[in-house]
Amino acid sequence: MRTLLFALACLLAAPVSAKDAPIHVVRHFGTPAGERDPDLLATGHARARALVKWFRGKRLRAIYVSDFRRSRQTAAPLARARRIAVHT
């Protein structure tokens, strides 16, 4: 998976101690250009679902997103799969 540049969802792995906690930053996926708060495109939803597989085996403690619809939609499949609340 390519390096992700913009923090819309921070996913924290459950650490042994807080200082050792990796922070995963995920940018929203696939939105139409020119809209303020668009829904994800079909390709964006597919990539969001792929996060579930990418995070398999990684312990997550929390999911944080911005108020934008696209960031909530990006985090939703992983949050559902892990039964983790999404925080804004």
Side-chain angles (χ1 to χ4, degrees):
M1 186 175 259
R2 73 178 198 210
T3 303
L4 304 170
L5 304 173
F6 187 71
L8 289 179
C10 292
L11 304 157
L12 304 176
V16 173
S17 69
K19 70 176 186 161
D20 297 328
I23 297 174
H24 302 278
V25 179
V26 179
R27 185 181 192 278
H28 68 82
F29 299 123
T31 58
E35 295 183 38
R36 170 96 171 100
D37 191 16
D39 287 315
L40 293 177
L41 297 170
T43 55
H45 282 289
R47 292 180 70 193
R49 289 188 302 272
L51 286 176
V52 175
K53 183 178 178 182
W54 192 86
F55 276 98
R56 190 171 290 137
K58 296 174 178 66
R59 295 179 61 194
L60 300 178
R61 195 168 72 182
I63 298 175
Y64 294 90
V65 300
S66 72
D67 289 332
F68 288 106
R69 187 176 316 144
R70 60 186 174 249
S71 72
R72 294 189 313 267
Q73 291 174 349
T74 297
L78 181 59
R80 271 193 307 273
R82 295 295 187 94
R83 297 187 171 112
I84 297 174
V86 175
H87 304 278
T88 55

